[in-house]
Amino acid sequence: MHNYAVFLRGINVGGINIKMADLKAALQEYPFSKVKTLLASGNVVLQSELSATDVKAQFEKCLRETFGYDAWVVVLTATRVGELVDACPYPADDTSTHSYITLASDTAMLDELFAAGEALGGVEQVRLGPEASAWLAPAGGTLDSPFSKLSAKARYKAGTTTRNLRTLIKVRDAAAAL
């Protein structure tokens, strides 16, 4: 069995509302065990004998068939989530900034997003690996930050999702505890 973290893109915003209890119940029909949802922002930890690629395919199928929307998720092993948290050079708790990690299921899309962030100028970001980059936003101004607006574009919807570093720490700990 492998421990995985699954990060959903775009739920409980923009009219796609899914109760975590309903999601957990729907996932019982799929080859997953020890399914736990975390927070209401689309973070799930689970165990499966499937590969990460197959977990992604099955999870997206569940979302599409059960909740009727074009779903995209990023799936990482529990170990990899821990490595990304450890690699992030930014603080989890700072009064002036918030640390974010953008996760990708499409490396080329993350390459493009990272380059576009560099072109903006003034964006503090660092690549953590082929599937992740970390960036800072001013406290209280995340949604208005140029990089946040850039990463929210429809172009990046199918292949990326962003989480606060504090959230990733909670996901890391929950996935490790399965």
Side-chain angles (χ1 to χ4, degrees), residues 71-109:
W72 299 284
V73 302
V74 174
V75 177
L76 298 173
T77 65
T79 301
R80 187 62 180 148
V81 173
E83 292 168 353
L84 294 172
V85 166
D86 292 344
C88 184
Y90 307 128
D93 292 304
D94 181 64
T95 57
S96 62
T97 61
H98 293 288
S99 302
Y100 291 95
I101 296 181
T102 297
L103 305 167
S105 58
D106 180 338
T107 299
M109 190 172 290

Side-chain angles (χ1 to χ4, degrees), residues 6 11 24 31 40 73 75 79 81 88 92 109 118 120 125 129 131-132 146 156 158 164 175:
V6 182
I11 68 159
K24 187 174 178 180
V73 302
V75 177
T79 301
V81 173
C88 184
M109 190 172 290
E118 292 285 306
L120 285 174
Q125 64 176 352
E131 75 286 72
Y156 304 111
N164 185 291

Side-chain angles (χ1 to χ4, degrees), residues 8-19:
L8 288 72
R9 167 72 186 227
I11 68 159
N12 297 335
V13 294
I16 300 169
N17 296 307
I18 299 174
K19 292 181 180 165

Side-chain angles (χ1 to χ4, degrees), residues 24-175:
K24 187 174 178 180
L27 291 169
Q28 298 303 315
E29 302 299 319
Y30 288 81
F32 309 133
S33 60
K34 296 188 177 181
V35 175
K36 294 182 182 175
T37 60
L38 305 159
L39 311 170
S41 58
N43 306 293
V44 176
V45 295
L46 56 82
Q47 285 187 333
S48 182
E49 292 189 15
L50 298 175
S51 69
T53 300
D54 290 338
V55 168
K56 177 179 171 45
Q58 289 292 305
F59 205 103
E60 289 175 346
K61 178 182 177 190
C62 175
L63 292 172
R64 289 180 177 122
E65 290 180 356
T66 307
F67 301 103
Y69 80 101
D70 231 0
W72 299 284
V73 302
V74 174
V75 177
L76 298 173
T77 65
T79 301
R80 187 62 180 148
V81 173
E83 292 168 353
L84 294 172
V85 166
D86 292 344
C88 184
Y90 307 128
D93 292 304
D94 181 64
T95 57
S96 62
T97 61
H98 293 288
S99 302
Y100 291 95
I101 296 181
T102 297
L103 305 167
S105 58
D106 180 338
T107 299
M109 190 172 290
L110 188 62
D111 291 342
E112 179 186 313
L113 180 59
F114 192 84
E118 292 285 306
L120 285 174
V123 176
E124 189 167 343
Q125 64 176 352
V126 63
R127 195 67 181 259
L128 302 177
E131 75 286 72
S133 63
W135 54 282
L136 288 176
T142 300
L143 295 178
D144 295 324
S145 74
F147 189 80
S148 181
K149 288 180 181 181
L150 173 68
S151 66
K153 289 187 176 193
R155 164 88 182 105
Y156 304 111
K157 186 176 182 179
T160 68
T161 191
T162 298
R163 296 296 187 275
N164 185 291
L165 179 57
R166 290 185 314 274
T167 297
L168 247 61
I169 291 168
K170 290 175 186 172
V171 171
R172 174 202 63 194
D173 295 347

